[in-house]
Amino acid sequence: MQTLNSFSSGLPKNIHKKVTKEIASFYDVKDFELKSISVSDELNSLLIHPIKEKNLFQITISGELAGYAYVAKAPSKTDEFDYLVLFDKDLIITRSKLLIYREDYGAEIGSKRWLKQFIGLKEGASIEYGNQIVPISGATISAESITIAINQLLQSIAILNENGLFN
């Protein structure tokens, strides 16, 4: 299943392992390539939330583009959590996954049922916690945080696409 080592993907080993497992499971494959997408400083300056080095990836299977992966951190009450968003070739969210949650409360945001709300959202879509995204009692800060993060990601992906990054 391992396609690139954690040093070539730029992700910490524990995160890389979870990302590769999730991608392999989603696409039902053992072999795929995860290639980091570089975003120029000029393009990053247009984004609300700049894309950091080595957290946006192209996924290829047998040499064919399968989609994209985005790995990042978002704030929780006293710490941060790591999450993954998978996009198809058309930049539509196909899966979101909580990778590591470091709080005693609020881990409910990692439930597949709650995260399904993000599936099908397209680049440029605008979402709001409490409107399009159902709140979670006891996980308000984390749930709102991931909603804001994904909203900003969708806006950023639209700008990157408009500027030819995915062509």
Side-chain angles (χ1 to χ4, degrees), residues 89-154:
K89 294 183 264 190
D90 298 317
L91 303 173
I92 299 170
I93 294 178
T94 55
R95 180 169 288 178
S96 56
K97 174 83 174 175
L98 188 68
L99 299 172
I100 298 177
Y101 194 76
R102 297 173 182 89
E103 298 279 357
D104 293 332
Y105 300 99
E108 297 89 350
I109 69 165
S111 78
K112 286 183 181 181
R113 183 172 171 227
W114 191 79
L115 289 170
K116 277 184 179 182
Q117 298 177 89
F118 299 106
I119 294 173
L121 294 175
K122 299 178 182 182
E123 54 150 329
S126 183
I127 55 172
E128 264 187 72
Y129 183 70
N131 287 332
Q132 296 86 355
I133 304 300
V134 177
I136 298 177
S137 179
T140 306
I141 294 170
S142 297
E144 190 167 14
S145 179
I146 196 167
T147 301
I148 290 168
I150 290 178
N151 188 51
Q152 290 176 345
L153 173 62
L154 291 168

Side-chain angles (χ1 to χ4, degrees), residues 12-23:
K13 188 176 180 179
N14 62 334
I15 299 294
H16 178 80
K17 186 175 180 179
K18 290 175 183 282
V19 168
T20 56
K21 181 180 176 185
E22 193 64 29
I23 291 170

Side-chain angles (χ1 to χ4, degrees), residues 13-126:
K13 188 176 180 179
N14 62 334
I15 299 294
H16 178 80
K17 186 175 180 179
K18 290 175 183 282
V19 168
T20 56
K21 181 180 176 185
E22 193 64 29
I23 291 170
S25 170
F26 180 78
Y27 288 104
D28 194 25
V29 295
K30 290 185 180 181
D31 296 314
F32 60 90
E33 184 178 359
L34 208 57
K35 181 182 174 191
S36 180
I37 298 173
S38 182
V39 179
S40 70
D41 291 341
E42 181 182 341
L43 201 47
N44 251 327
S45 71
L46 302 174
L47 307 179
I48 297 168
H49 186 74
I51 303 294
K52 294 179 183 171
E53 184 71 24
K54 308 239 183 223
N55 68 340
L56 180 61
F57 302 91
Q58 181 182 64
I59 304 165
T60 55
I61 300 170
S62 301
E64 296 288 323
L65 175 65
Y68 302 92
Y70 177 77
V71 181
K73 293 180 183 292
S76 54
K77 187 174 183 178
T78 62
D79 208 335
E80 294 179 313
F81 56 88
D82 296 272
Y83 66 96
L84 165 70
V85 179
L86 296 180
F87 291 89
D88 67 10
K89 294 183 264 190
D90 298 317
L91 303 173
I92 299 170
I93 294 178
T94 55
R95 180 169 288 178
S96 56
K97 174 83 174 175
L98 188 68
L99 299 172
I100 298 177
Y101 194 76
R102 297 173 182 89
E103 298 279 357
D104 293 332
Y105 300 99
E108 297 89 350
I109 69 165
S111 78
K112 286 183 181 181
R113 183 172 171 227
W114 191 79
L115 289 170
K116 277 184 179 182
Q117 298 177 89
F118 299 106
I119 294 173
L121 294 175
K122 299 178 182 182
E123 54 150 329
S126 183

